[in-house]
Amino acid sequence: MTDSEWMLRAVSLAERGIGFVNPNPLVGCVIVRDGRIIGEGWHERYGGLHAERNALKNCTEDPRGAVMYVTLEPCCHYGKNPPCTEAVIAAGISRVVVGSDDPNPLVAGKGLQQLRDAGIAVETGICKAECDKLNRIFFHYITTGAPYCILKTAMTADGKTATRTGKSQWITGEAARRHVHETRKRTAAILCGIGTVLADDPMLNCRTDNPSHPVRIVCDTHLRIPLTSKLVQTAQEIPVIAAACETNPEKQKQLEDAGVQVLMLPSENGHVSLNALMQELGKMHLDSVLIEGGAELHEAALRAGIVQQVQIYIAPKIFGGRDAKTAVGGIGVAAVAEAYQLSAPEISRFGDDILLDYTVKGAAACSQES
């Protein structure tokens, strides 16, 4: 097998950590001797052993002289675990093949240099695109201090997200909805507006095998979330954050008694400042947010420049109707040149539905210092 084939094996291992390592990166590692895997591992849970140490622990024979394939540059600093470079050097690995460089200022090339200084041959950039894609969330968060935001919506072929009477269940089929839950598992938090809560009373949980539930966040300027809502009723089981601007001590106490965390934030255009919210979420180590709101929240998120990725599921249906809802509301742009620019999409099919997966061009870096 080639270096690329071994690295792709490491990528598939790294994906097993999805939903359980945030805000750390997804990392996989394979140790090979004479064309045979003698050890492999991945970063399984936040605070647990890193991929390199797991792979070394799982070796079926002495790894001295073997080749290590790892999707991300080995760490060289003390955190919840000691440096992986120390373990690699001590194990006598002769060559290390790396997919992605680590932009974390605590690492950023220092790990590779430590390995080279110890006489280990190092090669980088193998399957770089696949390895970088694994950690789009981590790379954004570690360099900006703010969550990576994915705006998700489902619509008909004519661009409607609900009928003229407000009905929207279900636009897409079961396969597409399963994929949405996989995205919920990948992200640390899910964000909606109070309008969605009042209209749909959603749970916003993750319904997959071996689920990892995102923190549920509601933009609720006036603190209108009902105490009887599913979110409040289950706040002791899955965390809920209500982001508000107007103080209401009595309602705040009732929510906090129910287990809801209330964040009082500055307002912008009469609503919760989304940039301020992202800064607070970043400080709470929430590295990613899936925005599943209504049209007004979607427009506000785009206008605030907090969105890095847009996922649009399109079903082969037509609703029609001048009053039927669309995905992005607000006042909208005045000129074509002012449009929010997206990349060419990655296109996937789920049953009869398709997913257009875009990155936002020139997405603002909403950092802790901004």
Side-chain angles (χ1 to χ4, degrees):
M1 290 177 67
T2 64
D3 284 349
S4 293
E5 289 172 313
W6 292 125
M7 186 63 75
L8 291 177
R9 170 61 184 170
V11 168
S12 70
L13 291 171
E15 290 172 340
R16 299 185 187 183
I18 287 174
F20 302 105
V21 302
N22 309 62
N24 280 354
L26 295 163
V27 187
C29 181
V30 176
I31 301 173
V32 176
R33 173 185 282 125
D34 299 329
R36 296 176 294 110
I37 293 177
I38 63 170
E40 59 183 19
W42 64 96
H43 185 29
E44 298 174 7
R45 284 191 176 272
Y46 177 72
L49 289 179
H50 289 182
E52 299 93 322
R53 289 182 177 271
N54 265 330
L56 289 168
K57 181 190 71 172
N58 295 333
C59 276
T60 56
E61 59 188 74
D62 188 346
R64 194 163 302 276
V67 179
M68 174 178 284
Y69 296 86
V70 60
T71 57
L72 183 68
E73 176 181 357
C75 67
C76 56
H77 65 286
Y78 283 86
K80 290 187 176 295
N81 287 281
C84 287
T85 50
E86 290 184 358
V88 175
I89 293 167
I93 295 293
S94 65
R95 177 172 175 248
V96 174
V97 181
V98 176
S100 296
D101 296 333
D102 191 340
N104 184 347
L106 295 173
V107 185
K110 302 182 186 73
L112 301 178
Q113 192 58 51
Q114 280 190 12
L115 297 176
R116 291 185 174 115
D117 289 346
I120 297 174
V122 176
E123 187 171 353
T124 63
I126 302 301
C127 297
K128 179 175 170 56
E130 292 86 350
C131 293
D132 284 354
K133 186 177 180 181
L134 266 178
N135 283 309
R136 285 188 290 188
I137 288 172
F138 172 73
F139 292 161
H140 176 82
Y141 178 70
I142 202 67
T143 55
T144 68
Y148 181 94
C149 289
I150 304 170
L151 190 157
K152 167 263 166 183
T153 191
M155 62 175 63
T156 59
D158 60 333
K160 305 299 184 181
T161 59
T163 68
R164 60 182 175 82
T165 61
K167 304 297 183 184
S168 61
Q169 293 184 343
W170 295 101
I171 290 177
T172 55
E174 185 177 339
R177 298 199 299 273
R178 277 199 306 270
H179 188 258
V180 171
H181 284 276
E182 293 294 339
T183 305
R184 288 185 181 184
K185 181 175 181 177
R186 180 182 291 269
T187 48
I190 184 168
L191 174 67
C192 74
I194 185 60
T196 297
V197 175
L198 296 176
D200 300 333
D201 193 21
M203 271 289 289
L204 301 179
N205 59 348
C206 173
R207 297 187 286 278
T208 64
D209 293 334
N210 193 22
S212 175
H213 299 294
V215 174
R216 301 168 297 173
I217 305 167
V218 182
C219 279
D220 187 8
T221 303
H222 307 292
L223 221 53
R224 293 188 292 152
I225 185 169
L227 298 174
T228 56
S229 66
K230 292 176 183 175
L231 292 178
V232 175
Q233 291 294 307
T234 58
Q236 300 282 2
E237 303 160 26
I238 307 172
V240 175
I241 297 173
C245 300
E246 283 191 7
T247 58
N248 182 337
E250 182 181 353
K251 182 65 172 291
Q252 182 170 341
K253 184 178 186 307
Q254 291 173 325
L255 289 171
E256 289 173 343
D257 287 345
V260 176
Q261 179 179 355
V262 178
L263 279 182
M264 298 307 300
L265 297 167
S267 65
E268 186 174 336
N269 299 320
H271 299 284
V272 170
S273 167
L274 293 178
N275 277 292
L277 175 59
M278 292 303 119
Q279 290 181 34
E280 290 302 313
L281 298 181
K283 293 174 185 176
M284 297 164 63
H285 305 295
L286 295 173
D287 65 358
S288 47
V289 177
L290 177 62
I291 303 173
E292 286 197 42
E296 300 305 307
L297 179 60
H298 291 170
E299 191 274 339
L302 289 166
R303 180 162 31 88
I306 66 169
V307 180
Q308 283 71 49
Q309 186 176 347
V310 175
Q311 294 185 331
I312 300 177
Y313 295 84
I314 301 178
K317 301 172 182 176
I318 292 177
F319 284 169
R322 66 177 64 89
D323 297 324
K325 295 180 180 179
T326 57
V328 180
I331 192 170
V333 300
V336 172
E338 298 172 2
Y340 303 103
Q341 299 294 323
L342 308 177
S343 68
E346 292 183 15
I347 303 173
S348 305
R349 184 167 177 172
F350 298 95
D352 292 336
D353 307 316
I354 61 171
L355 167 62
L356 303 179
D357 197 340
Y358 303 90
T359 56
V360 179
K361 293 184 177 180
C366 169
S367 72
Q368 299 284 6
E369 290 76 35
S370 64

